[in-house]
Amino acid sequence: MKLTLSTSLLPMAIYGILTAPPGVAAKCSAGLVNIVFNGPGNKTGPGSHPDSQLFSWFSKMPAAKNWITFNEHQYEKKIPMLGDNRDAVQEAIRMVTSTSPPEFLLTFNEPDWDYKTGKTKLTPQAAADLIEPLLKTTAKHTKFIAPVPAFPMSSWLPEFYEKCKCRDHFYAHSVHIYNHTIDDAKTAINTFRNKYNDKPLWITEIAPRQLNCDAPTSSSWAKSSEFMNELFAWGQQIEWIEKIFWNSGNKIVTHCDTNVAASYLLDGNGNPTPLLAPFNNLTCSQT
C-alpha cells in the first residue's frame, strides 16, 4: 500500500525546488514516478544504440524509476514496448524467453487509431491474432501490460479481450490521459478504472493539455508544475495506481502536439526547462 501523509505540499517557484521542513515531505514510493520520451534517440555512429541519447537525457532525471519510448529495444531502466507487426512480436518473444528477460513488456500502443490515416491501426481481431504467439510462449518472468487505446473508453479493448480470450495474461491495464485540469484528469482516470478494475493501473502517458503550441510562458510552466505535483501526490494515495509516466522528458521538435506543449523537462537542445527541477524534487505528500 502506498504511503499516505497529511502534510500539504508547499508553494513552489516556477524554476525552483520544492522545499519543506526536515522530516515533513516524503519521497514518492518506489516505482511511481516514471518518464516518457518522444523521439528515436541516436541511431548512428560506432557502437551506438537507438536509445543512447534518450538514456543520456534520462540520467538527468534521478526522480524517475523507469522510462519508455516507442520501440522494443532493451536498455537500462527502460521498459520495452511491443510494436504492431510480426517482426516486433518475434523480437518480443526473443526477449521474454531469453536468459535476461525484461520485468515488464508494454503491448500495443494506441492500436485503435492511426494518426496518419485517421483510421484504426489494428482491429481487435487483427491485434488478437498478432499477439497470440507471444502470449503462448513459456515466458514466466515478464509481466505483460495490456494494450492502451488512444480513446480510453472506446469499445476497442473489450472487443480485443473478447477476440483473444486473453485478459488473464495481462498484469496491468494502461491508460493515456490528457486534460486541461487536474480535476478533469482525475475524473478520466477514475472513469477508466470503474470499467477496468480487475488489475493495477499504469498511467503510461499523462500531461496537461494546452490550447496551442505557442512557446510556454511563465504562467503555463507554473500550471504544468502544479498539475504534476497534484497528480503524483494523488497517485501516491491511490493503491491501484502502480506507475505514472509523465509525458514528456523531451520536447517534440518535429510537429505540434498540444497534449505535451508545456510539459517537457528538456528543451530541443537537451537543456533543462522550468519543469526539470520540480520533477526531480517531486514529493508525494497529501495535497
Side-chain angles (χ1 to χ4, degrees), residues 106-173:
L106 296 161
T107 59
F108 302 127
N109 181 73
E110 300 190 349
D112 56 326
W113 187 251
D114 187 324
Y115 290 88
K116 293 180 180 179
T117 65
K119 299 178 181 179
T120 300
K121 187 188 305 181
L122 286 174
T123 66
Q125 184 66 66
D129 293 341
L130 189 58
I131 204 171
E132 183 179 11
L134 174 63
L135 299 183
K136 284 187 174 180
T137 64
T138 57
K140 298 179 181 179
H141 303 291
T142 299
K143 298 174 182 177
F144 299 133
I145 310 305
V148 55
F151 302 99
M153 301 309 294
S154 74
S155 63
W156 192 97
L157 192 56
E159 290 179 16
F160 167 76
Y161 282 145
E162 194 278 327
K163 299 294 184 182
C164 72
K165 311 299 183 187
C166 62
R167 187 166 181 149
D168 290 344
H169 283 76
F170 297 102
Y171 166 75
H173 290 297

Side-chain angles (χ1 to χ4, degrees), residues 240-260:
W240 41 265
I241 295 178
E242 186 169 284
K243 287 182 177 290
I244 300 174
F245 293 78
W246 182 257
N247 198 7
S248 61
N250 64 304
K251 181 181 180 180
I252 296 176
V253 296
T254 57
H255 61 277
C256 169
D257 186 342
T258 54
N259 284 338
V260 293

